[in-house]
Amino acid sequence: MFRAPLMLWKLSPYFLIICYVNCKSNFVQMKIVDEVSNYGWNAMSGPDSSTSNLKAKVEPGAFCGPKHLKVLQGKCFTLLQEDYKYKFCPFFNVTQHERSMRWNPYSGILGIWKDWHVVNDSLSSMNFENGDDCGDDSRQVKVFLKCGMANNVTNVEEPRRCRYQLTFDTPLVCHSDSMLIYPIINSTLQFQWNQIAQDLHDNYITQKGYKKLTHMLFAKAGLVTGKLLNADKEKRPETFQTLDTCNAEYAKLYETLNSKSVQ
Ligand SMILES: *[C@@H]1O[C@H](CO)[C@@H](O)[C@H](O)[C@H]1NC(C)=O
Ligand SMILES: *[C@@H]1O[C@H](CO)[C@@H](O)[C@H](O)[C@H]1NC(C)=O
Ligand SMILES: *[C@@H]1O[C@H](CO)[C@@H](O)[C@H](O)[C@H]1NC(C)=O
Ligand SMILES: *[C@@H]1O[C@H](CO)[C@@H](O)[C@H](O)[C@H]1NC(C)=O
């Protein structure tokens, strides 16, 4: 039986790398409510090297993800840890403020909201990128949402230089289905996902192919970008030179997927 999507996949595996579908920029002015997790900050001595002169390199992406997380948008949560105050503004940014009597305490942007990291077909962590410069690189933060009694930043680590990991406790992720992707995408994309899963089940595609096709689908849903696919660049000889070609290939793939489903 002729399986067109597979063929196309073999011919044009590389275009995914060039297709970027971002959590679209869509900056909205909103009221900021500070929810301070560690009380007593004001009572402590030392200036709060404040937020006022921080300059973001990019605008944050639009909200995307499970609707029930939207209540976090426009709020900020802080953690005092060692010499720093960390401020996490979900779907906006993560900043760091040195608590020091020095005349120029460090205050900086660790990352700007970009997109989700997906593991096992579920939303796993939030990516904040394009933070302040760090050598030739920019600071980045991965935010892990963990089930907890209250909204609270509980830990910040820097496992690698300028790569931060922030843990945020929240009751919003306690249900085991709260971070599933399938229920939050529209019926067209669900339908396409069913087809891809069927192809995997029938061994028409490999696990790797499944990962790529679903990643593309998540990109269509606006949840992720295409960057994850850079990993196997070297094995892929074909490249698509222009965004137009890329989009055309992308369109073709979906057309084929759709027409197959009508048969
Ligand atoms: C971080 O996001 C908050 C909440 O939207 C905003 O008030 C603040 O200006 C942002 N900070 C920077 C440095 O962009
Ligand atoms: C992903 O799912 C597999 C199989 O269900 C499981 O073994 C694995 O631990 C899961 N990985 C994560 C990070 O949840
Ligand atoms: C928030 O987390 C910090 C750090 O783990 C902890 O000290 C604090 O008690 C927590 N606050 C709430 C309200 O749970
Ligand atoms: C679902 O989302 C995709 C990607 O944004 C879009 O192309 C499609 O038209 C949407 N379908 C429905 C039924 O809204």
Side-chain angles (χ1 to χ4, degrees):
M1 184 184 163
F2 177 66
R3 304 284 291 191
L6 260 188
M7 290 264 303
L8 241 184
W9 179 248
K10 283 197 186 115
L11 288 172
S12 53
Y14 199 43
F15 66 86
L16 293 180
I17 296 159
I18 307 151
C19 288
Y20 286 90
V21 182
N22 213 333
C23 289
K24 281 186 221 75
S25 266
N26 175 14
F27 204 68
V28 205
Q29 204 70 34
M30 36 176 81
K31 192 160 161 254
I32 306 307
V33 188
D34 247 50
E35 280 188 19
V36 181
S37 338
N38 297 54
Y39 301 95
W41 160 253
N42 289 333
M44 298 178 72
S45 58
D48 179 358
S49 48
S50 209
T51 47
S52 43
N53 48 13
L54 297 181
K55 258 220 135 21
K57 289 179 194 165
V58 296
E59 289 199 342
F63 172 89
C64 63
K67 280 200 183 74
H68 67 278
L69 295 185
K70 206 156 188 171
V71 297
L72 298 174
Q73 197 184 26
K75 294 185 177 167
C76 295
F77 305 89
T78 61
L79 171 69
L80 303 181
Q81 186 173 282
E82 286 149 26
D83 296 333
Y84 292 98
K85 177 172 98 170
Y86 296 91
K87 188 166 175 180
F88 167 51
C89 303
F91 306 105
F92 280 93
N93 58 51
V94 180
T95 53
Q96 183 188 39
H97 312 274
E98 191 182 0
R99 304 193 288 155
S100 147
M101 301 296 273
R102 291 195 298 124
W103 66 276
N104 61 342
Y106 172 79
S107 202
I109 299 176
L110 301 185
I112 305 287
W113 163 241
K114 187 169 179 223
D115 64 357
W116 288 95
H117 182 67
V118 174
V119 177
N120 274 355
D121 296 339
S122 290
L123 301 172
S124 151
S125 55
M126 303 172 81
N127 296 320
F128 290 74
E129 296 184 7
N130 295 299
D132 286 349
D133 288 347
C134 173
D136 328 328
D137 204 3
S138 293
R139 289 177 163 79
Q140 295 184 14
V141 192
K142 242 181 195 330
V143 175
F144 293 91
L145 306 180
K146 213 171 116 246
C147 170
M149 298 261 288
N151 292 327
N152 190 18
V153 179
T154 53
N155 191 38
V156 180
E157 282 171 39
E158 191 181 0
R160 284 198 294 133
R161 189 164 165 266
C162 298
R163 293 286 181 277
Y164 301 83
Q165 281 187 4
L166 185 150
T167 309
F168 182 66
D169 280 11
T170 175
L172 296 170
V173 300
C174 291
H175 194 281
S176 58
D177 290 348
S178 61
M179 300 299 272
L180 292 182
I181 295 177
Y182 191 84
I184 65 169
I185 58 176
N186 73 26
S187 56
T188 311
L189 296 179
Q190 282 181 341
F191 186 79
Q192 287 170 354
W193 195 348
N194 292 340
Q195 299 285 304
I196 296 166
Q198 173 84 57
D199 282 352
L200 175 67
H201 179 261
D202 295 347
N203 290 321
Y204 284 118
I205 53 174
T206 60
Q207 192 68 42
K208 211 167 153 197
Y210 173 83
K211 267 190 98 161
K212 289 188 176 171
L213 286 167
T214 50
H215 187 82
M216 187 164 73
L217 196 135
F218 303 153
K220 264 207 130 187
L223 296 167
V224 302
T225 67
K227 77 187 165 182
L228 187 139
L229 301 149
N230 284 336
D232 40 0
K233 211 187 268 188
E234 55 289 331
K235 282 182 251 146
R236 307 293 189 187
E238 308 92 337
T239 56
F240 290 87
Q241 300 302 327
T242 67
L243 188 62
D244 281 352
T245 328
C246 169
N247 287 337
E249 287 305 324
Y250 193 88
K252 248 193 278 175
L253 176 68
Y254 273 93
E255 212 175 86
T256 332
L257 266 178
N258 282 332
S259 57
K260 184 182 64 153
S261 61
V262 195
Q263 285 159 23

